[in-house]
Amino acid sequence: MSSPTAPSSPSRRFHAEPLIDIHRHVSERLAEGPVTIEVPDPDLGRGCYPGERVGPGGALLHRPLRGWCDLAEGLACRLLTPRSVDATHVALTFERLGPEASWHAGGEAEGATSREERYGATSAFARVRKLEDAGFLLPWLDALGRIRLPESARVLDLGVNRGDELAAFSWLEGAPEVSFVGVDHSASAIEEARARFPDARHRFHVADLNALPEGLGRFHLVVSVGTLQSPGVDDHALLRKLVQEHLEPSSALLLGFPNSRFRDGEVVYGARVRNLREPDLSLVVKDLSFYRRYLHQHGFRTFLGGKYDLLLTAVREAGG
């Protein structure tokens, strides 16, 4: 399929050159516009490792398509759909990504009517559908599969928004019937969650996470994705409150820590500290260390997975 964006210069053909040469060639020309290169067809080397010789007479170096995706991500580019050139080569086009999504800036997001609606139904964030992204869906299903909930279990979702993550509960084989309680400061997102889960056993509250509604009760599972590290949330105090006041003796937590940014509709790997251009994982590592240490002290076993969202699963058995 032809690239929708024409390259700014004729494509260069590569055969067995080192990857560093390709990296330099692409990065040096990106300022001029999209860059197209011709590289050995990754399908020729199925089962081979990156850098192994393939093709007629072993004249080509194999690199899998996943590796080209990683190169594009590292260059802050979109990799357009590869197109066949001939029997040995495909054309790859690298296109610079646009700016980061507006909600990463720390202020009101594009389309938001107030700070409380930064992630509301009319904001730019409302376009995101995480369960349609395999980079989130598959780790999320894996994490849910580690948790065994009793029939009629109660699940609390902090920062529930419209309830995307909750929809996955019904997809698990043998999943029990559960009731959801969701909390979010966006009234418009909560209205969407209520429409999505209209059963009377589900309840959704408009509230700040620092001041949870009275009478929530105790839960068998607490989930929260990308919310506890939000500016203004005292996540350490909230974690203590959850463990001490809102979790059953036999219970679990499933917490997501953002390890990515959105740029021009694409997910870009790596947490980033405000005012730093490059990804920096030091803060997310520090947060995870605190969470795991605290949860271990209170009888939980923990497991860390995920990629673009690091997912911390913590499970405690009664009397454990």
PDB file of all heavy atoms in Angstrom, residues 64-103:
ATOM      1  N   PRO A  64      13.737  -7.712  12.290  1.00  0.00           N
ATOM      2  CA  PRO A  64      12.288  -7.945  12.332  1.00  0.00           C
ATOM      3  C   PRO A  64      11.524  -6.626  12.297  1.00  0.00           C
ATOM      4  O   PRO A  64      12.061  -5.555  12.620  1.00  0.00           O
ATOM      5  CB  PRO A  64      12.087  -8.662  13.669  1.00  0.00           C
ATOM      6  CG  PRO A  64      13.244  -8.227  14.509  1.00  0.00           C
ATOM      7  CD  PRO A  64      14.383  -8.031  13.573  1.00  0.00           C
ATOM      8  N   LEU A  65      10.266  -6.707  11.913  1.00  0.00           N
ATOM      9  CA  LEU A  65       9.428  -5.516  11.840  1.00  0.00           C
ATOM     10  C   LEU A  65       9.319  -4.839  13.201  1.00  0.00           C
ATOM     11  O   LEU A  65       9.279  -3.609  13.294  1.00  0.00           O
ATOM     12  CB  LEU A  65       8.033  -5.889  11.324  1.00  0.00           C
ATOM     13  CG  LEU A  65       7.052  -4.729  11.122  1.00  0.00           C
ATOM     14  CD1 LEU A  65       7.607  -3.707  10.139  1.00  0.00           C
ATOM     15  CD2 LEU A  65       5.696  -5.254  10.651  1.00  0.00           C
ATOM     16  N   ARG A  66       9.285  -5.641  14.280  1.00  0.00           N
ATOM     17  CA  ARG A  66       9.220  -5.065  15.626  1.00  0.00           C
ATOM     18  C   ARG A  66      10.398  -4.111  15.868  1.00  0.00           C
ATOM     19  O   ARG A  66      10.264  -3.068  16.522  1.00  0.00           O
ATOM     20  CB  ARG A  66       9.213  -6.173  16.673  1.00  0.00           C
ATOM     21  CG  ARG A  66       8.985  -5.676  18.096  1.00  0.00           C
ATOM     22  CD  ARG A  66       9.208  -6.825  19.087  1.00  0.00           C
ATOM     23  NE  ARG A  66       8.347  -7.957  18.778  1.00  0.00           N
ATOM     24  CZ  ARG A  66       7.100  -8.081  19.236  1.00  0.00           C
ATOM     25  NH1 ARG A  66       6.582  -7.140  19.991  1.00  0.00           N
ATOM     26  NH2 ARG A  66       6.395  -9.160  18.938  1.00  0.00           N
ATOM     27  N   GLY A  67      11.579  -4.480  15.362  1.00  0.00           N
ATOM     28  CA  GLY A  67      12.754  -3.630  15.538  1.00  0.00           C
ATOM     29  C   GLY A  67      12.617  -2.295  14.832  1.00  0.00           C
ATOM     30  O   GLY A  67      13.054  -1.255  15.339  1.00  0.00           O
ATOM     31  N   TRP A  68      12.000  -2.313  13.646  1.00  0.00           N
ATOM     32  CA  TRP A  68      11.780  -1.051  12.926  1.00  0.00           C
ATOM     33  C   TRP A  68      10.766  -0.182  13.671  1.00  0.00           C
ATOM     34  O   TRP A  68      10.871   1.044  13.683  1.00  0.00           O
ATOM     35  CB  TRP A  68      11.320  -1.330  11.502  1.00  0.00           C
ATOM     36  CG  TRP A  68      12.352  -2.017  10.667  1.00  0.00           C
ATOM     37  CD1 TRP A  68      12.276  -3.261  10.102  1.00  0.00           C
ATOM     38  CD2 TRP A  68      13.644  -1.505  10.306  1.00  0.00           C
ATOM     39  NE1 TRP A  68      13.431  -3.557   9.425  1.00  0.00           N
ATOM     40  CE2 TRP A  68      14.295  -2.487   9.528  1.00  0.00           C
ATOM     41  CE3 TRP A  68      14.320  -0.321  10.573  1.00  0.00           C
ATOM     42  CZ2 TRP A  68      15.574  -2.320   9.016  1.00  0.00           C
ATOM     43  CZ3 TRP A  68      15.610  -0.142  10.065  1.00  0.00           C
ATOM     44  CH2 TRP A  68      16.218  -1.132   9.297  1.00  0.00           C
ATOM     45  N   CYS A  69       9.785  -0.818  14.298  1.00  0.00           N
ATOM     46  CA  CYS A  69       8.831  -0.057  15.127  1.00  0.00           C
ATOM     47  C   CYS A  69       9.547   0.591  16.302  1.00  0.00           C
ATOM     48  O   CYS A  69       9.270   1.747  16.653  1.00  0.00           O
ATOM     49  CB  CYS A  69       7.719  -0.978  15.627  1.00  0.00           C
ATOM     50  SG  CYS A  69       6.634  -1.619  14.331  1.00  0.00           S
ATOM     51  N   ASP A  70      10.494  -0.146  16.908  1.00  0.00           N
ATOM     52  CA  ASP A  70      11.259   0.413  18.020  1.00  0.00           C
ATOM     53  C   ASP A  70      12.122   1.587  17.561  1.00  0.00           C
ATOM     54  O   ASP A  70      12.268   2.586  18.284  1.00  0.00           O
ATOM     55  CB  ASP A  70      12.141  -0.660  18.652  1.00  0.00           C
ATOM     56  CG  ASP A  70      11.347  -1.688  19.436  1.00  0.00           C
ATOM     57  OD1 ASP A  70      10.200  -1.386  19.825  1.00  0.00           O
ATOM     58  OD2 ASP A  70      11.871  -2.799  19.664  1.00  0.00           O
ATOM     59  N   LEU A  71      12.706   1.469  16.382  1.00  0.00           N
ATOM     60  CA  LEU A  71      13.511   2.565  15.857  1.00  0.00           C
ATOM     61  C   LEU A  71      12.646   3.802  15.650  1.00  0.00           C
ATOM     62  O   LEU A  71      13.034   4.921  16.021  1.00  0.00           O
ATOM     63  CB  LEU A  71      14.172   2.158  14.539  1.00  0.00           C
ATOM     64  CG  LEU A  71      14.997   3.255  13.845  1.00  0.00           C
ATOM     65  CD1 LEU A  71      16.142   3.709  14.734  1.00  0.00           C
ATOM     66  CD2 LEU A  71      15.514   2.777  12.489  1.00  0.00           C
ATOM     67  N   ALA A  72      11.466   3.609  15.079  1.00  0.00           N
ATOM     68  CA  ALA A  72      10.565   4.738  14.865  1.00  0.00           C
ATOM     69  C   ALA A  72      10.190   5.387  16.192  1.00  0.00           C
ATOM     70  O   ALA A  72      10.192   6.617  16.325  1.00  0.00           O
ATOM     71  CB  ALA A  72       9.311   4.278  14.126  1.00  0.00           C
ATOM     72  N   GLU A  73       9.872   4.565  17.200  1.00  0.00           N
ATOM     73  CA  GLU A  73       9.498   5.111  18.497  1.00  0.00           C
ATOM     74  C   GLU A  73      10.653   5.893  19.110  1.00  0.00           C
ATOM     75  O   GLU A  73      10.455   6.974  19.669  1.00  0.00           O
ATOM     76  CB  GLU A  73       9.070   3.978  19.430  1.00  0.00           C
ATOM     77  CG  GLU A  73       8.557   4.458  20.774  1.00  0.00           C
ATOM     78  CD  GLU A  73       7.985   3.318  21.599  1.00  0.00           C
ATOM     79  OE1 GLU A  73       8.754   2.398  21.938  1.00  0.00           O
ATOM     80  OE2 GLU A  73       6.784   3.360  21.897  1.00  0.00           O
ATOM     81  N   GLY A  74      11.868   5.357  18.998  1.00  0.00           N
ATOM     82  CA  GLY A  74      13.028   6.044  19.549  1.00  0.00           C
ATOM     83  C   GLY A  74      13.313   7.366  18.872  1.00  0.00           C
ATOM     84  O   GLY A  74      13.905   8.267  19.486  1.00  0.00           O
ATOM     85  N   LEU A  75      12.902   7.508  17.617  1.00  0.00           N
ATOM     86  CA  LEU A  75      13.096   8.751  16.873  1.00  0.00           C
ATOM     87  C   LEU A  75      11.872   9.660  16.945  1.00  0.00           C
ATOM     88  O   LEU A  75      11.804  10.665  16.242  1.00  0.00           O
ATOM     89  CB  LEU A  75      13.407   8.438  15.405  1.00  0.00           C
ATOM     90  CG  LEU A  75      14.741   7.741  15.146  1.00  0.00           C
ATOM     91  CD1 LEU A  75      14.842   7.290  13.685  1.00  0.00           C
ATOM     92  CD2 LEU A  75      15.917   8.660  15.496  1.00  0.00           C
ATOM     93  N   ALA A  76      10.900   9.302  17.802  1.00  0.00           N
ATOM     94  CA  ALA A  76       9.653  10.072  17.933  1.00  0.00           C
ATOM     95  C   ALA A  76       8.954  10.184  16.582  1.00  0.00           C
ATOM     96  O   ALA A  76       8.503  11.255  16.174  1.00  0.00           O
ATOM     97  CB  ALA A  76       9.914  11.450  18.524  1.00  0.00           C
ATOM     98  N   CYS A  77       8.860   9.031  15.912  1.00  0.00           N
ATOM     99  CA  CYS A  77       8.262   8.982  14.580  1.00  0.00           C
ATOM    100  C   CYS A  77       7.097   8.008  14.533  1.00  0.00           C
ATOM    101  O   CYS A  77       6.987   7.097  15.357  1.00  0.00           O
ATOM    102  CB  CYS A  77       9.295   8.539  13.537  1.00  0.00           C
ATOM    103  SG  CYS A  77      10.513   9.779  13.123  1.00  0.00           S
ATOM    104  N   ARG A  78       6.265   8.194  13.544  1.00  0.00           N
ATOM    105  CA  ARG A  78       5.262   7.208  13.159  1.00  0.00           C
ATOM    106  C   ARG A  78       5.855   6.385  12.017  1.00  0.00           C
ATOM    107  O   ARG A  78       6.413   6.935  11.066  1.00  0.00           O
ATOM    108  CB  ARG A  78       3.986   7.914  12.691  1.00  0.00           C
ATOM    109  CG  ARG A  78       2.921   6.991  12.131  1.00  0.00           C
ATOM    110  CD  ARG A  78       1.722   7.791  11.648  1.00  0.00           C
ATOM    111  NE  ARG A  78       1.004   8.409  12.769  1.00  0.00           N
ATOM    112  CZ  ARG A  78       1.006   9.703  13.032  1.00  0.00           C
ATOM    113  NH1 ARG A  78       1.709  10.537  12.266  1.00  0.00           N
ATOM    114  NH2 ARG A  78       0.322  10.187  14.056  1.00  0.00           N
ATOM    115  N   LEU A  79       5.748   5.055  12.133  1.00  0.00           N
ATOM    116  CA  LEU A  79       6.188   4.186  11.041  1.00  0.00           C
ATOM    117  C   LEU A  79       4.972   3.871  10.190  1.00  0.00           C
ATOM    118  O   LEU A  79       4.019   3.230  10.657  1.00  0.00           O
ATOM    119  CB  LEU A  79       6.797   2.896  11.593  1.00  0.00           C
ATOM    120  CG  LEU A  79       7.274   1.878  10.551  1.00  0.00           C
ATOM    121  CD1 LEU A  79       8.400   2.460   9.713  1.00  0.00           C
ATOM    122  CD2 LEU A  79       7.723   0.589  11.227  1.00  0.00           C
ATOM    123  N   LEU A  80       4.980   4.342   8.951  1.00  0.00           N
ATOM    124  CA  LEU A  80       3.856   4.090   8.062  1.00  0.00           C
ATOM    125  C   LEU A  80       3.885   2.629   7.586  1.00  0.00           C
ATOM    126  O   LEU A  80       4.903   1.938   7.684  1.00  0.00           O
ATOM    127  CB  LEU A  80       3.898   5.036   6.862  1.00  0.00           C
ATOM    128  CG  LEU A  80       3.870   6.536   7.198  1.00  0.00           C
ATOM    129  CD1 LEU A  80       3.719   7.361   5.931  1.00  0.00           C
ATOM    130  CD2 LEU A  80       2.751   6.882   8.177  1.00  0.00           C
ATOM    131  N   THR A  81       2.765   2.159   7.099  1.00  0.00           N
ATOM    132  CA  THR A  81       2.637   0.768   6.681  1.00  0.00           C
ATOM    133  C   THR A  81       3.701   0.417   5.636  1.00  0.00           C
ATOM    134  O   THR A  81       3.802   1.097   4.609  1.00  0.00           O
ATOM    135  CB  THR A  81       1.246   0.513   6.097  1.00  0.00           C
ATOM    136  OG1 THR A  81       0.259   0.876   7.062  1.00  0.00           O
ATOM    137  CG2 THR A  81       1.076  -0.946   5.715  1.00  0.00           C
ATOM    138  N   PRO A  82       4.532  -0.608   5.887  1.00  0.00           N
ATOM    139  CA  PRO A  82       5.557  -0.983   4.900  1.00  0.00           C
ATOM    140  C   PRO A  82       4.916  -1.378   3.570  1.00  0.00           C
ATOM    141  O   PRO A  82       3.821  -1.947   3.529  1.00  0.00           O
ATOM    142  CB  PRO A  82       6.253  -2.184   5.554  1.00  0.00           C
ATOM    143  CG  PRO A  82       5.946  -2.063   7.012  1.00  0.00           C
ATOM    144  CD  PRO A  82       4.589  -1.451   7.092  1.00  0.00           C
ATOM    145  N   ARG A  83       5.608  -1.074   2.481  1.00  0.00           N
ATOM    146  CA  ARG A  83       5.122  -1.486   1.161  1.00  0.00           C
ATOM    147  C   ARG A  83       6.236  -2.238   0.438  1.00  0.00           C
ATOM    148  O   ARG A  83       7.422  -1.927   0.573  1.00  0.00           O
ATOM    149  CB  ARG A  83       4.654  -0.284   0.336  1.00  0.00           C
ATOM    150  CG  ARG A  83       5.659   0.835   0.191  1.00  0.00           C
ATOM    151  CD  ARG A  83       5.055   2.023  -0.538  1.00  0.00           C
ATOM    152  NE  ARG A  83       5.972   3.156  -0.605  1.00  0.00           N
ATOM    153  CZ  ARG A  83       6.914   3.307  -1.523  1.00  0.00           C
ATOM    154  NH1 ARG A  83       7.097   2.381  -2.455  1.00  0.00           N
ATOM    155  NH2 ARG A  83       7.684   4.379  -1.514  1.00  0.00           N
ATOM    156  N   SER A  84       5.837  -3.252  -0.311  1.00  0.00           N
ATOM    157  CA  SER A  84       6.809  -4.091  -1.011  1.00  0.00           C
ATOM    158  C   SER A  84       7.452  -3.330  -2.164  1.00  0.00           C
ATOM    159  O   SER A  84       6.779  -2.596  -2.904  1.00  0.00           O
ATOM    160  CB  SER A  84       6.114  -5.349  -1.531  1.00  0.00           C
ATOM    161  OG  SER A  84       7.016  -6.153  -2.259  1.00  0.00           O
ATOM    162  N   VAL A  85       8.775  -3.513  -2.315  1.00  0.00           N
ATOM    163  CA  VAL A  85       9.501  -2.903  -3.431  1.00  0.00           C
ATOM    164  C   VAL A  85       9.811  -3.957  -4.486  1.00  0.00           C
ATOM    165  O   VAL A  85       9.572  -3.765  -5.674  1.00  0.00           O
ATOM    166  CB  VAL A  85      10.805  -2.249  -2.940  1.00  0.00           C
ATOM    167  CG1 VAL A  85      11.618  -1.705  -4.116  1.00  0.00           C
ATOM    168  CG2 VAL A  85      10.501  -1.133  -1.948  1.00  0.00           C
ATOM    169  N   ASP A  86      10.355  -5.102  -4.031  1.00  0.00           N
ATOM    170  CA  ASP A  86      10.666  -6.208  -4.929  1.00  0.00           C
ATOM    171  C   ASP A  86      10.751  -7.478  -4.086  1.00  0.00           C
ATOM    172  O   ASP A  86      10.269  -7.507  -2.957  1.00  0.00           O
ATOM    173  CB  ASP A  86      11.959  -5.946  -5.722  1.00  0.00           C
ATOM    174  CG  ASP A  86      13.131  -5.579  -4.828  1.00  0.00           C
ATOM    175  OD1 ASP A  86      13.210  -6.107  -3.694  1.00  0.00           O
ATOM    176  OD2 ASP A  86      13.977  -4.771  -5.256  1.00  0.00           O
ATOM    177  N   ALA A  87      11.399  -8.507  -4.597  1.00  0.00           N
ATOM    178  CA  ALA A  87      11.427  -9.807  -3.918  1.00  0.00           C
ATOM    179  C   ALA A  87      12.240  -9.787  -2.630  1.00  0.00           C
ATOM    180  O   ALA A  87      12.091 -10.687  -1.795  1.00  0.00           O
ATOM    181  CB  ALA A  87      11.984 -10.873  -4.860  1.00  0.00           C
ATOM    182  N   THR A  88      13.102  -8.798  -2.444  1.00  0.00           N
ATOM    183  CA  THR A  88      13.984  -8.804  -1.273  1.00  0.00           C
ATOM    184  C   THR A  88      13.804  -7.596  -0.357  1.00  0.00           C
ATOM    185  O   THR A  88      14.247  -7.639   0.795  1.00  0.00           O
ATOM    186  CB  THR A  88      15.463  -8.849  -1.704  1.00  0.00           C
ATOM    187  OG1 THR A  88      15.755  -7.696  -2.525  1.00  0.00           O
ATOM    188  CG2 THR A  88      15.758 -10.124  -2.495  1.00  0.00           C
ATOM    189  N   HIS A  89      13.185  -6.520  -0.821  1.00  0.00           N
ATOM    190  CA  HIS A  89      13.158  -5.292  -0.047  1.00  0.00           C
ATOM    191  C   HIS A  89      11.749  -4.728   0.123  1.00  0.00           C
ATOM    192  O   HIS A  89      10.866  -4.957  -0.720  1.00  0.00           O
ATOM    193  CB  HIS A  89      14.047  -4.214  -0.688  1.00  0.00           C
ATOM    194  CG  HIS A  89      15.507  -4.415  -0.429  1.00  0.00           C
ATOM    195  ND1 HIS A  89      16.207  -5.472  -0.959  1.00  0.00           N
ATOM    196  CD2 HIS A  89      16.405  -3.687   0.305  1.00  0.00           C
ATOM    197  CE1 HIS A  89      17.486  -5.394  -0.572  1.00  0.00           C
ATOM    198  NE2 HIS A  89      17.622  -4.315   0.197  1.00  0.00           N
ATOM    199  N   VAL A  90      11.557  -4.024   1.239  1.00  0.00           N
ATOM    200  CA  VAL A  90      10.338  -3.255   1.474  1.00  0.00           C
ATOM    201  C   VAL A  90      10.735  -1.813   1.755  1.00  0.00           C
ATOM    202  O   VAL A  90      11.868  -1.519   2.169  1.00  0.00           O
ATOM    203  CB  VAL A  90       9.527  -3.815   2.669  1.00  0.00           C
ATOM    204  CG1 VAL A  90       9.049  -5.228   2.388  1.00  0.00           C
ATOM    205  CG2 VAL A  90      10.334  -3.750   3.965  1.00  0.00           C
ATOM    206  N   ALA A  91       9.793  -0.904   1.513  1.00  0.00           N
ATOM    207  CA  ALA A  91      10.019   0.511   1.783  1.00  0.00           C
ATOM    208  C   ALA A  91       9.372   0.884   3.115  1.00  0.00           C
ATOM    209  O   ALA A  91       8.207   0.561   3.355  1.00  0.00           O
ATOM    210  CB  ALA A  91       9.453   1.370   0.656  1.00  0.00           C
ATOM    211  N   LEU A  92      10.147   1.537   3.974  1.00  0.00           N
ATOM    212  CA  LEU A  92       9.659   2.022   5.257  1.00  0.00           C
ATOM    213  C   LEU A  92       9.722   3.544   5.264  1.00  0.00           C
ATOM    214  O   LEU A  92      10.745   4.125   4.894  1.00  0.00           O
ATOM    215  CB  LEU A  92      10.518   1.485   6.407  1.00  0.00           C
ATOM    216  CG  LEU A  92      10.684  -0.024   6.529  1.00  0.00           C
ATOM    217  CD1 LEU A  92      11.612  -0.341   7.701  1.00  0.00           C
ATOM    218  CD2 LEU A  92       9.334  -0.700   6.723  1.00  0.00           C
ATOM    219  N   THR A  93       8.645   4.168   5.706  1.00  0.00           N
ATOM    220  CA  THR A  93       8.610   5.625   5.795  1.00  0.00           C
ATOM    221  C   THR A  93       8.453   6.043   7.246  1.00  0.00           C
ATOM    222  O   THR A  93       7.542   5.587   7.948  1.00  0.00           O
ATOM    223  CB  THR A  93       7.467   6.213   4.956  1.00  0.00           C
ATOM    224  OG1 THR A  93       7.681   5.901   3.576  1.00  0.00           O
ATOM    225  CG2 THR A  93       7.394   7.729   5.115  1.00  0.00           C
ATOM    226  N   PHE A  94       9.363   6.904   7.701  1.00  0.00           N
ATOM    227  CA  PHE A  94       9.353   7.448   9.046  1.00  0.00           C
ATOM    228  C   PHE A  94       8.844   8.890   8.982  1.00  0.00           C
ATOM    229  O   PHE A  94       9.383   9.699   8.226  1.00  0.00           O
ATOM    230  CB  PHE A  94      10.756   7.417   9.655  1.00  0.00           C
ATOM    231  CG  PHE A  94      11.319   6.036   9.814  1.00  0.00           C
ATOM    232  CD1 PHE A  94      11.895   5.367   8.735  1.00  0.00           C
ATOM    233  CD2 PHE A  94      11.265   5.381  11.038  1.00  0.00           C
ATOM    234  CE1 PHE A  94      12.419   4.090   8.872  1.00  0.00           C
ATOM    235  CE2 PHE A  94      11.785   4.098  11.193  1.00  0.00           C
ATOM    236  CZ  PHE A  94      12.360   3.447  10.109  1.00  0.00           C
ATOM    237  N   GLU A  95       7.855   9.189   9.788  1.00  0.00           N
ATOM    238  CA  GLU A  95       7.220  10.503   9.774  1.00  0.00           C
ATOM    239  C   GLU A  95       7.211  11.071  11.191  1.00  0.00           C
ATOM    240  O   GLU A  95       6.752  10.413  12.132  1.00  0.00           O
ATOM    241  CB  GLU A  95       5.786  10.365   9.252  1.00  0.00           C
ATOM    242  CG  GLU A  95       4.970  11.628   9.244  1.00  0.00           C
ATOM    243  CD  GLU A  95       3.542  11.335   8.803  1.00  0.00           C
ATOM    244  OE1 GLU A  95       2.746  10.894   9.660  1.00  0.00           O
ATOM    245  OE2 GLU A  95       3.240  11.518   7.626  1.00  0.00           O
ATOM    246  N   ARG A  96       7.725  12.272  11.361  1.00  0.00           N
ATOM    247  CA  ARG A  96       7.781  12.897  12.677  1.00  0.00           C
ATOM    248  C   ARG A  96       6.394  12.990  13.310  1.00  0.00           C
ATOM    249  O   ARG A  96       5.425  13.374  12.659  1.00  0.00           O
ATOM    250  CB  ARG A  96       8.345  14.306  12.564  1.00  0.00           C
ATOM    251  CG  ARG A  96       9.845  14.377  12.492  1.00  0.00           C
ATOM    252  CD  ARG A  96      10.478  14.207  13.852  1.00  0.00           C
ATOM    253  NE  ARG A  96      11.887  14.598  13.821  1.00  0.00           N
ATOM    254  CZ  ARG A  96      12.775  14.217  14.704  1.00  0.00           C
ATOM    255  NH1 ARG A  96      12.397  13.429  15.701  1.00  0.00           N
ATOM    256  NH2 ARG A  96      14.024  14.610  14.626  1.00  0.00           N
ATOM    257  N   LEU A  97       6.307  12.639  14.601  1.00  0.00           N
ATOM    258  CA  LEU A  97       5.054  12.801  15.324  1.00  0.00           C
ATOM    259  C   LEU A  97       4.850  14.261  15.695  1.00  0.00           C
ATOM    260  O   LEU A  97       5.811  15.014  15.899  1.00  0.00           O
ATOM    261  CB  LEU A  97       5.068  11.959  16.597  1.00  0.00           C
ATOM    262  CG  LEU A  97       5.004  10.444  16.417  1.00  0.00           C
ATOM    263  CD1 LEU A  97       5.197   9.749  17.762  1.00  0.00           C
ATOM    264  CD2 LEU A  97       3.684  10.025  15.795  1.00  0.00           C
ATOM    265  N   GLY A  98       3.579  14.633  15.808  1.00  0.00           N
ATOM    266  CA  GLY A  98       3.234  15.971  16.245  1.00  0.00           C
ATOM    267  C   GLY A  98       3.445  16.123  17.739  1.00  0.00           C
ATOM    268  O   GLY A  98       4.030  15.270  18.394  1.00  0.00           O
ATOM    269  N   PRO A  99       2.936  17.206  18.329  1.00  0.00           N
ATOM    270  CA  PRO A  99       3.165  17.483  19.751  1.00  0.00           C
ATOM    271  C   PRO A  99       2.435  16.508  20.663  1.00  0.00           C
ATOM    272  O   PRO A  99       1.543  15.768  20.230  1.00  0.00           O
ATOM    273  CB  PRO A  99       2.624  18.910  19.918  1.00  0.00           C
ATOM    274  CG  PRO A  99       1.610  19.058  18.819  1.00  0.00           C
ATOM    275  CD  PRO A  99       2.154  18.272  17.664  1.00  0.00           C
ATOM    276  N   GLU A 100       2.811  16.539  21.925  1.00  0.00           N
ATOM    277  CA  GLU A 100       2.170  15.699  22.920  1.00  0.00           C
ATOM    278  C   GLU A 100       0.719  16.110  23.106  1.00  0.00           C
ATOM    279  O   GLU A 100       0.331  17.255  22.855  1.00  0.00           O
ATOM    280  CB  GLU A 100       2.899  15.807  24.265  1.00  0.00           C
ATOM    281  CG  GLU A 100       4.230  15.099  24.292  1.00  0.00           C
ATOM    282  CD  GLU A 100       4.837  15.091  25.678  1.00  0.00           C
ATOM    283  OE1 GLU A 100       4.325  15.835  26.552  1.00  0.00           O
ATOM    284  OE2 GLU A 100       5.814  14.357  25.892  1.00  0.00           O
ATOM    285  N   ALA A 101      -0.087  15.164  23.561  1.00  0.00           N
ATOM    286  CA  ALA A 101      -1.488  15.443  23.837  1.00  0.00           C
ATOM    287  C   ALA A 101      -1.610  16.569  24.852  1.00  0.00           C
ATOM    288  O   ALA A 101      -0.795  16.689  25.772  1.00  0.00           O
ATOM    289  CB  ALA A 101      -2.174  14.183  24.360  1.00  0.00           C
ATOM    290  N   SER A 102      -2.639  17.370  24.696  1.00  0.00           N
ATOM    291  CA  SER A 102      -2.770  18.585  25.492  1.00  0.00           C
ATOM    292  C   SER A 102      -2.904  18.311  26.977  1.00  0.00           C
ATOM    293  O   SER A 102      -2.492  19.123  27.803  1.00  0.00           O
ATOM    294  CB  SER A 102      -3.984  19.385  25.000  1.00  0.00           C
ATOM    295  OG  SER A 102      -5.172  18.600  25.086  1.00  0.00           O
ATOM    296  N   TRP A 103      -3.458  17.152  27.369  1.00  0.00           N
ATOM    297  CA  TRP A 103      -3.669  16.909  28.797  1.00  0.00           C
ATOM    298  C   TRP A 103      -2.370  16.617  29.539  1.00  0.00           C
ATOM    299  O   TRP A 103      -2.339  16.611  30.756  1.00  0.00           O
ATOM    300  CB  TRP A 103      -4.672  15.779  29.024  1.00  0.00           C
ATOM    301  CG  TRP A 103      -4.261  14.446  28.493  1.00  0.00           C
ATOM    302  CD1 TRP A 103      -3.462  13.525  29.096  1.00  0.00           C
ATOM    303  CD2 TRP A 103      -4.645  13.857  27.248  1.00  0.00           C
ATOM    304  NE1 TRP A 103      -3.315  12.409  28.312  1.00  0.00           N
ATOM    305  CE2 TRP A 103      -4.046  12.588  27.167  1.00  0.00           C
ATOM    306  CE3 TRP A 103      -5.454  14.288  26.183  1.00  0.00           C
ATOM    307  CZ2 TRP A 103      -4.216  11.747  26.066  1.00  0.00           C
ATOM    308  CZ3 TRP A 103      -5.621  13.453  25.094  1.00  0.00           C
ATOM    309  CH2 TRP A 103      -5.010  12.200  25.049  1.00  0.00           C
TER     310      TRP A 103
END
